[in-house]
Amino acid sequence: MDGADEFMKYRSPLVSRYASKEMAYNFSDRKKFTTWRKLWIYLAKAEKSLGLPITEAQIQEMESHQKDIDFAMAAEEERKLRHDVMAHVHTFAHCCPTAAPIIHLGATSCYVGDNTDLIVLRDGFDILLPKLARVIDRLANFAETYADLPTLGFTHYQPAQLTTVGKRACLWLQDLTMDIRNLQRARDDLRFRGVKGTTGTQASFLQLFQGDHDKVEELDRLVTEMASFQKSYLVTGQTYSRKVDVDCLSSLASLGATVHKVSCRSWRHIEISRSLSRRTKSRHSANATCRPTLARHLVALIADPLQTASVQWLERTLDDSANRRISLAESFLTADIILSTLQNISEGLVVYPKVIERHIRQELPFMATENIIMAVVKAGGNRQDCHEKIRVLSQEAAAVVKQEGGDNDLLARVQKDPYFAPILGQLDAILEPKTFIGRAPQQVARFLSEEVRPLLEPYRSKMDVKIELEL
């Protein structure tokens, strides 16, 4: 095909523009169909070991042609047969004439289809988990660095009691640590469909082994082991339960919610940005834009597997195949790019302490009024009188801020009022921001040491990988 023809049809931006090469390959036709051939080889090896008349020469022939797929022939066979699995059986048999009689022996389409999906899901998690670990690591380092840097807290999007930059990063980290546990659990909970037959009863394999139940069970175990799964599902219909897809994509949708929350819109409120060279600014703009919007897409994708699972009636319905080709791939591809961009951004975060300090100065006098009142009382003043003085001065200062657009001058008004003369020497100490952050630095230290760092240990060997995005 002329290369220009590629621009005459829709191309998914998840692959052409965003996702990593490894995740794009994980959902590629080559990965899918070479895995089908691996599964046919596993089946033949297991059947041979259990006494079926399959020769070593047949297996070697299959192994020697496992990767050389004639995609044009497969497409032509599918056009004629109207069946993708049988099209690839015929294509494989064409280059393996000796093994042709035993390819797919006793199996149904879901033997290759569903088992391949489970392998791809597992491999997809294996791509995502180190990326998520690296994001957590970068943000943990950031949180540790700024554990005691005061910044305005916000509740209901309004300025509130001070926190620290590091403590706020830990709020993001807490969600991300929940996500990595969820992804790891979903990955580890995956089982293999194995060899279950047309409706899950293994009837065809029981017939092949002349009623020997033990051999059928051993066949299932052997193929499961060859595919590097610890267990297979003990009961299936024609397919594995689509609740499995719900479980996997739920963990990804939850990750999407986290990443959407950890967006540049919220970072602006604590004066954090990414350090950029002139050359990479346009790339960063695209990164910052695609991360929250794709995260929203990832959250929305969970509706597909939920509906598919709800209508998987009896042993199999025919309304899941097309949907799953889209929703499974898009969920992992989307999760892949948002983690890559989040890592890329988190590796270049810059904090502007002076800007943060200015924002604190605008709000802190209002927050410090109770401390000022207590200091006056300790100096011999009356609490009610002091409270009224502070109330009047606060309203005057608020009017300057809200009606005139000026700076908060409450502190200057307090300093000018003779009533507060006994405590003027204490004002700097009273208004020291670090006296308003409570145990935030201690919470950061304990959280990182007890909950975050231990989660990252399994990924230490992959922690130094940098992300280079090409958008």
Side-chain angles (χ1 to χ4, degrees), residues 375-394:
V376 169
V377 171
K378 286 181 181 180
N382 178 280
R383 188 186 191 287
Q384 284 69 37
D385 292 342
C386 184
H387 185 278
E388 179 60 19
K389 284 277 189 181
I390 286 288
R391 185 185 70 81
V392 172
L393 295 180
S394 294

Side-chain angles (χ1 to χ4, degrees), residues 445-463:
R446 184 177 178 188
F447 176 64
L448 294 180
S449 65
E450 293 185 19
E451 297 195 25
V452 178
R453 302 297 187 194
L455 275 177
L456 301 180
E457 283 305 314
Y459 307 98
R460 282 296 166 198
S461 63
K462 300 179 180 179
M463 202 58 69

Side-chain angles (χ1 to χ4, degrees), residues 19-75:
S20 66
K21 292 179 180 178
E22 60 266 29
M23 189 63 82
Y25 174 75
N26 191 49
F27 287 92
S28 68
D29 281 350
R30 181 163 293 280
K31 168 73 175 280
K32 176 180 178 179
F33 297 128
T34 55
T35 302
W36 284 13
R37 291 190 175 187
K38 282 183 184 178
L39 289 167
W40 284 321
I41 293 167
Y42 296 158
L43 182 62
K45 284 183 173 181
E47 289 174 338
K48 176 181 181 295
S49 71
L50 293 170
L52 292 188
I54 295 172
T55 67
E56 185 62 30
Q58 288 174 311
I59 291 174
Q60 288 180 2
E61 184 181 54
M62 293 168 71
E63 289 179 328
S64 67
H65 292 285
Q66 188 241 317
K67 295 182 179 180
D68 58 341
I69 300 174
D70 187 334
F71 286 98
M73 177 183 290

Side-chain angles (χ1 to χ4, degrees), residues 70 100 104 131 150 189 212 318 352 368 380-381 386 390 433:
D70 187 334
H104 198 67
K131 292 189 175 188
D189 281 353
D212 190 328
L318 289 174
Y352 300 99
C386 184
I390 286 288

